[in-house]
Amino acid sequence: MKRWASQSSFCCHCGLAGASGEINNHSSIHADDKDGSADSNNDVFTLKPGEDEEEDKTTHAPVPPLQVMSDFPNCEYLPRGGIVATTAVGRIQFGMPPETIKDHLLRGLPCPVYYVVPREKFLKDKRVNVAEFEFPAYFNFFIKKRPVCLICTPESELQIRAIFQETLLGPSSEFYGTFAADFTQEASLYAPDLPKEMAYFRRNPFDLTKDLNIDTLLKFINFKDGIATITEGDNIVTIREVRSKGEYVVAENMKDIAKIPIRTFLPDPPHIDIEELAPKWFDPPLFGITMLGNSHGFDPKGTTTGFVLWMNKVGVMVDPPLHSATLLRQYGIPTNLIDAIILTHVHSDHDAGTFHKLLDAGRIKLISTATILESFTRKYSAYTGITTTEFRNLFYYYAVKIGVPVPIHGGVLHFHYSLHSIPTVGFTAYFGEKSIIYSADHCYDPARIIQMRDDGVLSPQRAEFLLKFPFTEHNIVLHEAGVPPLHTPMSVLAALAPEIKEKLYVVHVDVNHIPKDCGLKVANVGVANTLCVKAKPPPDAHIVEKLDLLSQVELFTEFPYNRVNELLLVARRERYVRGEYLVKSGSEGLKFFIISQGIVRISDNKDLVKFLWRGDFFGEMSILWATPRTADVTAVTDVEVFAIEKEAFLQLLQHTDTLQKLKTLAHVRLQKSWQTIAKNSFLGRLTSSQKSDLQLIMRRSVVESGHIIWHYRRDVNFAVLVEEGELEMIEYVKDTIPAFGRFYIGNEKKMIDNASERIAEHKSPNEGFPTGQIEITPGEKKTLYGGAFACEIDNLVNNSVHCTTLRCVRNSVVYIIPHEEFRTFFKNNPGVKLFLTDTLYVV
């Protein structure tokens, strides 16, 4: 019977031949020595041993006190987000961004029992869920032996119950059919009996005769007519939701003591200066692991476990911690060096960062089983209000079937189901005849496993599979250790043979809880502690590397498949050292460049300064227009590019759509398009690749004063980005009889009867409506200047009509973005679409 995947099952050949792997070293950079031949006696090494002090120094910094609200000294801001009010019934927390219990624990403060669940549970501009109640509930119950009390609307209570079904109890029985489909026939012999395993872990640890359920951990107080009341003894605390003012008013025994914003407070992530990253820019290993976090949800000083698995120098993130994009930048890892995520299960310390990462940049691959994916989808659809169909459009799904290898980046992944309270997968990664295994959250406890077998919870085959965890067969064993019964007891790992512990790295653990002299070591966080495995790359690794890179370049997404081999042949690797010129202004354009590693700085003799990294390209303008270079391009870090000679480049593009795309882009780049994008508060935060993709679909236009750019109730055909000048957007208001009230069309998305359909049927705002019932009148007017983006995204996506009029107040220069091209951009960048939903303009 085939159990754990062996190295013999690894095979990956791309099938493309003849592409050059030749390297042109422009300076004294040597080829990739650190990824050279394997040494069977010393296969694993740390990338930069002894250089981890700088990355870990924040752990030892003094903990600052909580910042107090200026008007209400009994209220404090939490560093990770949310506000806590001290009242007669205890501390009440408003908003629950992930990991905020650590803000309390780190300062020795009591964790609140009462939490106000915001109506807006997902802040789309921050891409963060601010109603993460799981770990406050787990901490209060499992550590403090008490339930938490969530203060929310009745509708929110229903959503929370649906979410907690997935995270505490696992999928309900109606979804078990999906689980059976996660296995091949052979693998099903050692598959979990899902209902039995979940029922086993569902037992109340404080009363084994009872099962845990949602009401064991959660209590609810609902808002009634906008007021929630907490009573403890003689103390009464009320929370009034004053939506017209955007605030909660907290009263203690009939006296107002605080006013808290309804929108959850969430600090901005730290700004990172790209040029300051130059000395620490990261060159990834051929095969290895960079830990982004190695701890668990209750460790106040640690980051939850997540890491980057490197295969052929491209990263796959595994359960990324929250704000992983910021972590990547701090470590000098470009975001688009990561093109896939593995989701092991749907506990918030593993999936919150996954959801954030899916929205952070372009559309990427999500790798998991159908059971876990559907649970993840149900959970975050409930949090965000996104339909399941829309949610699935946020990523490319790569289905995992246990028993079937998943090829990726010249290597292969084999997955297995671990022993945990809800469906959870671990995996083994093979690359160049070497391997890394990750347990994921898993209870490896032989005595417990045998008892579970004897009690009929585990089948003999499943028990045998779990007992034979292949500690000795892999170059790196990444194994969790935590609090039983959900996790592996530290004592079990400490009892392993010394030769096993040499390969073993412990995660999901507070490093201070590892016993001294037990022979166990934690997998340390940061690029300096990257674990590298000496592996010989597969024969076609250089081809896979080029294909991985080119697949990230929007310019080549529609390049003819039958000509890809030509592209691989003419793209030659070149390397430049930090500070070296790749291109000098005024020189002849002889090459087109695509960046593979590192950062370059582009500057002209005007005001343009921009930074490009992996997946970005430059050098097309002087080739297409046969003009001298218009800017200097210098290496901010050591840089690796793929360069295509001028004549080969022009021949390659003949009779392709790519040539026209490049001509359009070159024309737009000659204007101030990049600077205009950078002026916008949202578009300016896009990655350089996203900005380039946006430039590809922008058309510059001069608009005269008084011109109507679009009319109310006409079809939506484009969006507008203002370079300079002044536009005015007029939003229309619908007045109704008193029972209906008054509201704006477009922003609030409220529909009364079939009024919206009736509006669309008539040519003038008021035509056809009964007198005294509905009248359309001009409402708010907004002036838009340079950098403003007028978009009406919902109407554009839905092929609807305008709910505003946009006119030019004085002569202006704008960029038109046609709706069809914009839809394609949204498909590739779903996080952008999600942010712009319900938006008329962004300044």
Side-chain angles (χ1 to χ4, degrees):
M1 184 195 306
K2 183 178 177 182
R3 305 292 173 83
W4 297 92
S6 64
Q7 291 187 31
S8 62
S9 62
F10 167 62
C11 179
C12 183
H13 292 283
C14 196
L16 291 169
S20 172
E22 186 176 331
I23 297 176
N24 180 6
N25 289 310
H26 278 254
S27 300
S28 57
I29 287 188
H30 53 271
D32 204 355
D33 291 337
K34 71 175 185 293
D35 294 323
S37 61
D39 179 352
S40 60
N41 296 317
N42 188 19
D43 288 339
V44 179
F45 62 97
T46 303
L47 190 62
K48 299 177 181 178
E51 295 185 11
D52 58 343
E53 290 83 358
E54 181 177 350
E55 291 176 12
D56 290 341
K57 65 183 179 182
T58 55
T59 302
H60 308 290
V63 180
L66 296 179
Q67 180 183 349
V68 176
M69 291 182 70
S70 56
D71 295 334
F72 302 101
N74 63 321
C75 298
E76 298 166 308
Y77 295 100
L78 296 175
R80 289 175 172 84
I83 295 174
V84 175
T86 300
T87 73
V89 298
R91 293 159 64 82
I92 303 174
Q93 183 170 323
F94 293 77
M96 293 173 284
E99 298 196 325
T100 51
I101 65 165
K102 295 184 178 184
D103 291 333
H104 304 285
L105 296 175
L106 194 59
R107 293 163 177 81
L109 299 172
C111 288
V113 174
Y114 295 104
Y115 295 84
V116 178
V117 180
R119 286 180 180 268
E120 188 181 9
K121 299 175 185 63
F122 172 68
L123 300 186
K124 62 181 183 179
D125 54 329
K126 308 283 188 178
R127 304 180 179 95
V128 174
N129 161 33
V130 291
E132 197 288 285
F133 57 87
E134 290 176 49
F135 269 79
Y138 296 149
F139 180 84
N140 274 282
F141 182 76
F142 291 108
I143 306 299
K144 296 298 184 179
K145 301 181 182 180
R146 66 192 181 194
V148 297
C149 184
L150 302 183
I151 303 166
C152 61
T153 64
E155 294 79 12
S156 289
E157 179 180 343
L158 293 176
Q159 292 173 331
I160 288 168
R161 288 181 177 276
I163 292 165
F164 219 28
Q165 169 68 48
E166 303 294 338
T167 60
L168 177 68
L169 307 177
S172 56
S173 57
E174 63 187 292
F175 302 112
Y176 290 171
T178 302
F179 184 72
D182 286 346
F183 299 84
T184 62
Q185 183 175 358
E186 183 180 9
S188 66
L189 296 175
Y190 52 90
D193 186 322
L194 186 61
K196 288 183 178 180
E197 289 190 17
M198 291 195 304
Y200 174 86
F201 289 109
R202 196 178 297 154
R203 292 185 298 184
N204 188 327
F206 309 120
D207 185 352
L208 296 178
T209 65
K210 296 180 180 179
D211 285 344
L212 293 176
N213 59 48
I214 292 171
D215 294 302
T216 311
L217 279 74
L218 303 180
K219 302 299 180 187
F220 293 91
I221 294 176
N222 288 156
F223 281 99
K224 296 180 180 178
D225 298 324
I227 300 175
T229 303
I230 308 169
T231 302
E232 285 193 8
D234 295 332
N235 294 309
I236 299 175
V237 171
T238 60
I239 303 170
R240 300 196 313 275
E241 187 183 39
V242 186
R243 298 182 70 184
S244 60
K245 295 184 178 181
E247 64 186 18
Y248 296 110
V249 178
V250 183
E252 185 178 283
N253 299 322
M254 306 297 290
K255 180 181 179 181
D256 292 352
I257 61 169
K259 293 180 180 179
I260 310 290
I262 286 178
R263 193 173 198 268
T264 301
F265 161 72
L266 198 67
D268 290 324
H271 172 73
I272 298 172
D273 190 308
I274 291 178
E275 290 191 281
E276 291 180 0
L277 290 176
K280 60 188 297 186
W281 194 253
F282 179 57
D283 183 19
L286 199 63
F287 188 39
I289 288 174
T290 299
M291 300 301 301
L292 303 178
N294 57 15
S295 193
H296 53 70
F298 295 155
D299 178 4
K301 294 185 178 180
T303 301
T304 54
T305 294
F307 58 94
V308 181
L309 170 68
W310 301 106
M311 301 179 78
N312 208 26
K313 289 179 164 287
V314 180
V316 178
M317 293 187 83
V318 181
D319 293 346
L322 192 67
H323 301 304
S324 57
T326 301
L327 285 172
L328 291 177
R329 287 200 172 200
Q330 287 174 337
Y331 293 152
I333 302 173
T335 300
N336 55 4
L337 194 57
I338 312 295
D339 75 343
I341 297 174
I342 294 173
L343 175 63
T344 65
H345 64 298
V346 294
H347 282 156
S348 65
D349 54 335
H350 295 264
D351 66 20
T354 297
F355 182 60
H356 185 269
K357 176 61 181 173
L358 290 176
L359 302 177
D360 179 63
R363 195 177 183 191
I364 65 174
K365 297 185 282 285
L366 180 64
I367 304 172
S368 197
T369 64
T371 297
I372 295 171
L373 173 75
E374 291 188 6
S375 189
F376 179 61
T377 301
R378 290 190 295 269
K379 177 179 177 179
Y380 280 91
S381 292
Y383 268 130
T384 62
I386 304 171
T387 66
T388 55
T389 300
E390 290 176 315
F391 188 86
R392 289 287 292 270
N393 287 335
L394 294 175
F395 49 84
Y396 300 106
Y397 174 50
Y398 275 45
V400 168
K401 197 175 186 75
I402 308 300
V404 178
V406 178
I408 187 166
H409 305 320
V412 69
L413 302 172
H414 285 269
F415 287 83
H416 64 270
Y417 266 105
S418 67
L419 183 60
H420 200 46
S421 59
I422 62 175
T424 303
V425 289
F427 62 86
T428 307
Y430 293 99
F431 185 85
E433 299 181 355
K434 303 295 180 180
S435 59
I436 298 170
I437 188 168
Y438 176 49
S439 69
D441 278 20
H442 175 53
C443 180
Y444 177 73
D445 184 347
R448 184 180 296 275
I449 291 170
I450 292 170
Q451 186 63 55
M452 292 175 72
R453 180 198 63 193
D454 294 344
D455 292 342
V457 178
L458 304 176
S459 68
Q461 296 89 342
R462 170 73 168 159
E464 182 186 4
F465 174 80
L466 294 172
L467 289 169
K468 292 184 176 180
F469 190 90
F471 287 103
T472 62
E473 298 176 13
H474 305 287
N475 302 96
I476 292 177
V477 177
L478 203 63
H479 203 291
E480 68 101 91
V483 180
L486 295 186
H487 301 282
T488 299
M490 191 82 66
S491 58
V492 171
L493 297 181
L496 294 172
E499 59 270 22
I500 292 177
K501 287 188 280 189
E502 287 182 8
K503 300 180 177 182
L504 178 65
Y505 295 84
V506 180
V507 294
H508 203 280
V509 63
D510 183 341
V511 64
N512 297 314
H513 291 169
I514 298 178
K516 292 182 178 180
D517 303 322
C518 71
L520 296 177
K521 56 187 175 296
V522 72
N524 289 315
V525 171
V527 295
N529 298 303
T530 295
L531 296 172
C532 309
V533 181
K534 292 181 179 179
K536 292 181 179 179
D540 296 326
H542 61 286
I543 298 176
V544 175
E545 180 186 5
K546 285 186 181 180
L547 289 173
D548 281 338
L549 176 63
L550 295 172
S551 69
Q552 296 183 13
V553 182
E554 173 65 21
L555 192 66
F556 295 110
T557 54
E558 297 179 7
F559 193 78
Y561 179 78
N562 60 357
R563 299 188 62 191
V564 168
N565 203 40
E566 295 177 46
L567 181 58
L568 295 174
L569 281 167
V570 299
R572 299 172 67 85
R573 192 191 313 264
E574 296 182 352
R575 286 180 168 144
Y576 298 80
V577 296
R578 181 184 177 190
E580 188 174 0
Y581 280 92
L582 285 78
V583 165
K584 287 189 176 182
S585 179
S587 63
E588 183 181 358
L590 298 177
K591 294 178 183 178
F592 172 77
F593 300 89
I594 303 171
I595 303 171
S596 175
Q597 303 288 344
I599 308 174
V600 303
R601 183 181 191 271
I602 297 182
S603 56
D604 61 11
N605 55 7
K606 300 177 184 177
D607 60 348
L608 175 66
V609 175
K610 62 181 179 180
F611 298 91
L612 305 180
W613 46 74
R614 178 180 171 83
D616 291 325
F617 56 88
F618 59 93
E620 77 284 350
M621 287 195 295
S622 60
I623 293 179
L624 293 175
W625 306 133
T627 57
R629 301 288 196 188
T630 59
D632 290 330
V633 182
T634 54
V636 177
T637 67
D638 292 345
V639 171
E640 180 181 277
V641 299
F642 284 103
I644 304 176
E645 300 287 344
K646 175 181 177 179
E647 296 304 322
F649 182 66
L650 291 173
Q651 183 176 7
L652 184 71
L653 296 183
Q654 286 183 0
H655 312 299
T656 69
D657 294 336
T658 305
L659 179 59
Q660 185 55 49
K661 281 185 179 182
L662 269 177
K663 287 182 177 179
T664 300
L665 178 64
H667 178 73
V668 171
R669 281 184 168 176
L670 285 171
Q671 314 304 327
K672 294 183 178 181
S673 57
W674 191 273
Q675 298 94 316
T676 302
I677 292 172
K679 285 182 183 178
N680 187 267
S681 63
F682 173 68
L683 300 179
R685 301 203 305 265
L686 300 180
T687 67
S688 55
S689 294
Q690 288 175 312
K691 291 174 184 175
S692 293
D693 294 348
L694 192 58
Q695 285 181 309
L696 277 169
I697 60 176
M698 292 165 55
R699 308 289 183 268
R700 194 169 186 266
S701 179
V702 177
V703 186
E704 294 183 353
S705 175
H707 179 74
I708 303 298
I709 297 174
W710 67 56
H711 288 268
Y712 168 71
R713 285 195 54 260
R714 299 284 178 84
D715 290 342
V716 178
N717 294 315
F718 53 85
V720 170
L721 178 62
V722 184
E723 179 182 298
E724 60 182 40
E726 182 180 343
L727 308 183
E728 182 181 63
M729 176 178 279
I730 306 168
E731 189 179 358
Y732 283 84
V733 174
K734 182 175 359 182
D735 290 328
T736 68
I737 59 178
F740 283 42
R742 172 188 175 99
F743 65 99
Y744 284 95
I745 302 173
N747 268 350
E748 295 192 7
K749 294 295 172 190
K750 293 183 179 178
M751 298 299 177
I752 294 180
D753 290 347
N754 62 342
S756 59
E757 287 80 4
R758 286 186 284 170
I759 290 172
E761 290 172 359
H762 302 290
K763 294 183 179 180
S764 66
N766 298 316
E767 179 184 346
F769 289 105
T771 303
Q773 279 202 343
I774 296 180
E775 182 181 1
I776 306 300
T777 57
E780 179 184 352
K781 295 181 180 180
K782 178 65 179 179
T783 303
L784 305 178
Y785 300 102
F789 182 50
C791 42
E792 284 199 33
I793 293 303
D794 294 58
N795 295 329
L796 183 149
V797 170
N798 296 323
N799 287 314
S800 187
V801 295
H802 281 292
C803 60
T804 66
T805 290
L806 186 66
R807 72 182 187 92
C808 183
V809 176
R810 58 184 172 88
N811 292 349
S812 302
V813 178
V814 302
Y815 293 95
I816 303 297
I817 305 176
H819 69 297
E820 288 298 337
E821 287 91 334
F822 213 1
R823 287 195 189 102
T824 301
F825 179 81
F826 285 152
K827 181 179 179 181
N828 296 327
N829 300 276
V832 176
K833 177 178 178 291
L834 184 62
F835 173 85
L836 293 174
T837 299
D838 298 335
T839 300
L840 299 179
Y841 57 84
V842 182
V843 295

